[in-house]
Amino acid sequence: MLSLDEKKKALRACPLFESLPHEAMDVLALTVRPVRCPAGELFLAEGESDEDQTGAYVLVEGEAVAFKTVRGEKVELARFAPPDVVGEFELLAGIPRSANVEVTRDLVALRVDHPTFEGLVRANPDVALRLLRVLVLRFVSTRDRFLGLLDRA
């Protein structure tokens, strides 16, 4: 699958983890789990809350799109490519998935589980600040998309 060095390189490319101390990066790289998903498949399903799936995913290869179905129509929320992170809302809040994420190009991602992430944040508070920035930017982008849809309606 992916070597330890490949995992570290992918994690270091992600803005959330780029400033982690080497020791913390070593621990993270040892605990993440590689996940593969082919194009056309649903990677994350809205409403999913299975404990085993609670985690965020750092994209290493491939592309995906987040969407919600509104009145029977797919409404795109965001597009993802390496080194983006998906699933961070649920990781932080422990809530069911807020949207569907479909793979548009064969995907390889690294799954960061809740206990690992929580430990990272406690030991490295700057990770929480970086995640907050990602969440705010994602919220603003989603809000702007919806306002644009309302203007067209």
Side-chain angles (χ1 to χ4, degrees):
M1 200 93 173
L2 293 173
S3 72
L4 189 60
D5 285 340
E6 289 171 321
K7 289 179 186 178
K8 286 181 192 179
K9 183 178 177 184
L11 291 165
R12 189 72 66 200
C14 178
L16 282 184
F17 304 121
E18 67 187 2
S19 66
L20 275 182
H22 290 290
E23 303 79 29
M25 180 59 73
D26 290 344
V27 170
L28 181 59
L30 286 169
T31 58
V32 293
R33 183 174 54 102
V35 178
R36 294 182 181 277
C37 190
E41 294 290 320
L42 201 58
F43 185 59
L44 301 173
E46 183 176 2
E48 185 176 71
S49 61
D50 181 357
E51 289 284 326
D52 292 336
Q53 296 302 315
T54 302
Y57 299 84
V58 176
L59 274 56
V60 178
E61 295 176 14
E63 296 175 356
V65 61
F67 70 91
K68 288 184 90 62
T69 302
V70 179
R71 292 185 220 129
E73 189 175 323
K74 274 187 179 181
V75 177
E76 184 179 307
L77 303 175
R79 292 191 163 271
F80 302 104
D84 291 335
V85 176
V86 298
E88 71 287 350
F89 284 9
E90 298 75 16
L91 180 69
L92 274 179
I95 58 173
R97 301 282 177 199
S98 60
N100 294 298
V101 176
E102 183 176 28
V103 177
T104 55
R105 196 169 59 103
D106 290 355
L107 190 76
V108 176
L110 298 174
R111 180 177 178 270
V112 181
D113 65 28
H114 185 267
T116 299
F117 184 76
E118 193 170 293
L120 271 176
V121 169
R122 288 183 192 281
N124 304 278
D126 63 311
V127 172
L129 289 173
R130 290 175 179 276
L131 182 56
L132 185 57
R133 286 186 195 108
V134 168
L135 294 173
V136 168
L137 291 172
R138 195 156 300 160
F139 171 79
V140 168
S141 174
T142 301
R143 180 205 61 200
D144 291 349
R145 281 183 185 266
F146 275 112
L147 289 176
L149 290 172
L150 290 175
D151 287 345
R152 288 185 271 168

